[in-house]
């Protein structure tokens, strides 16, 4: 196993494209997206049952090394500052399995 | 970045309102909810494809400081004890971005 | 609270049955599954909006003790090696609530 950083970003779904572009630009090897999550934060309630994508949140999960994580945090911070959302970073053991 | 607690609660969707009330009462700054998750635990299989909300689970994610986390754990424990479910607490770095 | 391992596996939904069988065989007390997640990894884009289950990913969350975690990692590794996917392991505090 290899120590990596686990980044978890919750943001408005309208920002998903910008965030995934930042994930790619930071050099992350991949990502996972959970769509249609409901949230309540500093900017009010975000409901998965609302009619348009504009009111939905999504959760983006990224496993990457520390250098990529640092770049990604800096890229994501202004998006979160402008549109709301959260980013949590934890240490994780990544199960190696590539040939 | 700021060290915070990441709480993750998986419970029957019928308990969602009580749990979110506990989250608010504990003073958490916000939460994220993933609906319609499937689970198997001590109380049997819970299937996201079942017909009614009564058989669905949900996952609630909260980032908060340690004091709030301690209050929330104590508030959630009796709900989990009565209706089943799990609560996991991990340390996480929260990316600061508020003005 | 009790220190446990939190395993998070993201894999193609067609592998879900094998992975849940591995989770049960490893002796995990339960699991949570989030279906229809979108992902991009070493094997290309996996889109939650694609037409068949064959192109969907899922996320499996397991809380278990270290012995079970070690067994589960070894059981899951060949599935990930063959079909792609990731497995992250973190330390977590499990909120005890069983009578």
């Amino acid at each position: 196993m290899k120590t990596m950083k686990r980044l978890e970003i919750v943001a408005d779904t309208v920002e998903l494209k910008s965030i995934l572009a930042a994930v790619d630009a930071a050099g992350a090897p991949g990502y996972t997206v959970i769509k249609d999550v409901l949230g309540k934060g500093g900017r009010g309630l975000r409901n998965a049952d609302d009619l348009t994508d504009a009111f939905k949140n999504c959760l983006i999960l990224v496993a990457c090394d520390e250098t990529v994580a640092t770049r990604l945090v800096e890229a994501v911070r202004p998006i979160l500052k402008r549109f709301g959302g959260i980013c949590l970073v934890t240490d994780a053991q990544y199960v190696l399995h590539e040939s």
Side-chain angles (χ1 to χ4, degrees), chain A residues 12-30:
Chain A
D12 193 308
T13 298
V14 298
E15 293 312 308
L16 180 57
K17 272 197 176 175
S18 325
I19 294 168
L20 294 183
V23 170
D24 280 334

Side-chain angles (χ1 to χ4, degrees), chain A residues 94-99:
Chain A
Y94 178 89
V95 176
L96 291 167
H97 61 81
E98 301 297 332
S99 336

Side-chain angles (χ1 to χ4, degrees), chain A residues 41-77:
Chain A
R43 320 246 175 139
L45 190 72
R46 300 279 166 162
N47 194 326
D49 296 323
D50 280 336
L51 288 175
T52 70
D53 271 344
F55 299 97
K56 285 178 186 167
N57 279 356
C58 56
L59 188 153
I60 302 133
L61 177 65
V62 178
C64 58
D65 66 36
E66 190 158 6
T67 312
V68 171
T70 304
R71 273 202 297 263
L72 182 48
V73 162
E74 291 319 310
V76 162
R77 198 194 301 267

